[in-house]
Each structure stands twice: as structure tokens, then as C-alpha cells.
Amino acid sequence: MTGTGQPPLLFLDVDGPLIPFGGAPEEYPVHTTGIAELDAEVNPLLTRIDPEHGPRLAALRCEMVWATTWMADANACVAPRIGLPHLPVVAWPDPSDLDDEDERDGLHWKTRTLVARAAGRPFVWVDDEVTGADRAWVAARHPSHALLHRVDARRGLTDEDYAAIGSWLACLR
């Protein structure tokens, strides 16, 4: 599929892509799943997660990895709500001297880590904070294909986002 025998990676953020935010609370439907409703009491924004994301994400031909500050909580609180299995989680490094340089250059703090985690494999990064600086940095330093897909945090993942990601993944075959 990708020349390595491994499927492409999909690095998935939670806040923004799965939990839309930034609009008035009444703009967002409440999705009840009957699963982990107590978690929703701790974080009421969990009810904004549309359970249809699970089947749509699972249908993509890739290996999904949580790329979120939720860390292991994504598996405990988010995955069950949308029917996803336990997924690998990107381990974020401790702050370093490069962080100030990256911030000055407009590079997202996740970018270096995701490229290192991809280890040369094609990948999609779905996040609401991706910028042109991230795209340029990845294009110059990652030896394979990469799609850095920015999601509108106010809307979360939409039909158009799934179509763009699916089309890009299909081009890798």
C-alpha cells in the first residue's frame, strides 16, 4: 500500500476535530451514547462527540494513533463513545530548547514529534491547529507523503474533511 507494507498513519487530535468548540453552546447537538455518561459529568463537552465519527474513522484505510493532549484518556473517554478500539497514543516529549525556536518559526509543538513517530511512513495529521509553517517543515524533512489536514474547530470533522482524507489515502495505493 505505501511501499513499506504498512498502512499510512492517521494522527488524530480530539479537541476541535472530534469535540467542536468555539461557538455558542446551543450551536452544538448533544449526543448521548449510554456509554460513559459519568465522564460527561466530568467533561460536559464529551456530549458534543458525534458517535458516527467512529465508523467513519474506522473505514479509513490507515492506522489510527491518538495525537492529543488527552493522552490515554482518549482511549478511556473518547474511544468508547464512538466505538473505536484502544489506539496507540503519541507520547509527547518534555519541553526543550527547540520549543522557543519552533514557536518563533510558527511551528506547532506537535510537528517534530509526529514526524519522528511516523518514522518515514506516510501520514495524515488531523488537527485544528495545523498551519502552513507545519506543512512546509514536514515537506522539507519527511521522506514520504504527508497530509496535514486542518479541521475547523467550530464544526469538527465534516463530510468534506472525510472526503479529503479518504481521497488522499486512496491516492497512496
Side-chain angles (χ1 to χ4, degrees):
M1 172 181 278
T2 63
T4 66
Q6 297 177 302
L9 296 163
L10 187 146
F11 295 120
L12 182 60
D13 187 26
V14 171
D15 294 312
L18 297 179
I19 300 177
F21 66 90
E26 61 273 6
E27 289 180 38
Y28 302 105
V30 172
H31 300 279
T32 56
T33 62
I35 299 172
E37 296 306 327
L38 291 178
D39 291 336
E41 291 177 17
V42 174
N43 185 340
L45 298 185
L46 284 170
T47 62
R48 292 183 183 178
I49 300 175
D50 185 343
E52 289 302 311
H53 286 307
R56 294 187 81 177
L57 288 164
L60 296 171
R61 299 188 71 159
C62 58
E63 178 184 326
M64 284 185 286
V65 178
W66 292 119
T68 175
T69 56
W70 281 70
M71 305 285 295
D73 287 342
N75 281 318
C77 301
V78 178
R81 297 183 74 82
I82 61 177
L84 287 180
H86 185 275
L87 300 174
V89 177
V90 173
W92 303 116
D94 291 330
S96 75
D97 293 338
L98 285 175
D99 294 341
D100 291 335
E101 177 185 330
D102 288 348
E103 187 175 340
R104 280 192 306 275
D105 293 342
L107 193 65
H108 194 283
W109 62 269
K110 293 180 181 178
T111 307
R112 287 179 188 270
T113 302
L114 295 180
V115 169
R117 173 67 169 77
R121 286 172 66 182
F123 72 89
V124 179
W125 174 19
V126 178
D127 203 305
D128 60 303
E129 296 181 339
V130 170
T131 68
D134 300 303
R135 289 184 184 98
W137 194 92
V138 171
R141 290 165 181 84
H142 183 62
S144 190
H145 300 283
L147 171 65
L148 280 63
H149 186 81
R150 184 179 180 122
V151 172
D152 181 345
R154 291 176 60 103
R155 297 175 51 208
L157 279 163
T158 64
D159 291 342
E160 292 81 14
D161 295 313
Y162 282 108
I165 295 164
S167 176
W168 186 86
L169 289 167
C171 288
L172 294 178
R173 287 185 234 138

